[in-house]
Amino acid sequence: SLRGANMDGVELGQLPMLLGHRKDVSTLCLTIDGKFLVSGSNDNTIRVWSLANGECVRELSGHKHHVRGVCVTADGKYVV
């Protein structure tokens, strides 16, 4: 609830949408630098999204089952 919240200076509008997965997204992970979001889906893919422009910069496919969890290593080099 926002009851009693200070809403001075808050602008409401359409939030950006990351479009690309063909089925529900089941898991998300933000990189430690906050520049990328990694999503896993019931379409058996993982996508890496640039938060600067909302574009999918990489799709990882080949999983045989739904992707239930994703994590990015602390150095940002690997998705596990």
Side-chain angles (χ1 to χ4, degrees), residues 30-71:
L30 185 64
T31 58
I32 198 163
D33 60 9
K35 293 181 180 180
F36 298 95
L37 182 72
V38 180
S39 59
S41 170
N42 292 340
D43 66 5
N44 302 356
T45 66
I46 295 172
R47 290 179 181 257
V48 180
W49 306 90
S50 166
L51 293 181
N53 59 21
E55 292 182 11
C56 178
V57 296
R58 177 136 325 145
E59 179 181 359
L60 306 170
S61 59
H63 293 83
K64 294 181 181 179
H65 301 287
H66 304 311
V67 178
R68 303 253 186 241
V70 293
C71 189

Side-chain angles (χ1 to χ4, degrees), residues 7-19:
M7 300 296 286
D8 292 341
V10 174
E11 294 183 29
L12 302 176
Q14 176 66 44
L15 296 174
M17 297 179 79
L18 304 175
L19 301 175

Side-chain angles (χ1 to χ4, degrees), residues 3 9 58 78:
R3 187 176 316 192
R58 177 136 325 145
Y78 303 99

